[in-house]
Amino acid sequence: MKKYIKISAYLILAFIVAFIIYVMMFFNSQTDTKILKLEGYVFDESTKKPIERVKVIINNDRYEDDFGNNNHDEYLGHDKIELFTDSNGYYSTSIDKSAFLWIDFYKEGYRNTRENGKYSKEIMSYKTYISKQKY
């Protein structure tokens, strides 16, 4: 009987430790990434050549609002960053805090394109191909 009590105690202890680790990992993953570097290239889908002067709009959601309040259940802060690609189709920016972002691309003569949302990490790189509009 003592053997079963000892095994049960070890199982309960293991469960408690696993639960604590899970909670710590959850809250760690539900925080804003600090100082995120975002970069990418935009190419023509048919020619595979870089496109310059593409308007890049980065939509950034964060758990922390502009006043320092945090909520790990919903996004309180939102930033919209507007850039243009250079002659190599390259764009880059640095973002102070980010939890989730998506990117829209606009260029006259091309279809509006969106990179689907992704959870933020310290370095994010994209290679986006946009197609010409058909009239």
Side-chain angles (χ1 to χ4, degrees), residues 84-95:
F84 287 90
T85 58
D86 66 10
S87 60
N88 297 313
Y90 179 76
Y91 63 92
S92 71
T93 190
S94 181
I95 302 171

Side-chain angles (χ1 to χ4, degrees), residues 25-32 63 71-75 99 119:
M25 289 176 60
F26 174 79
F27 280 109
N28 190 39
S29 70
Q30 299 296 322
T31 59
D32 290 331
Y63 293 113
N71 184 340
H72 299 290
D73 294 329
E74 63 182 316
Y75 301 124
Y119 288 103

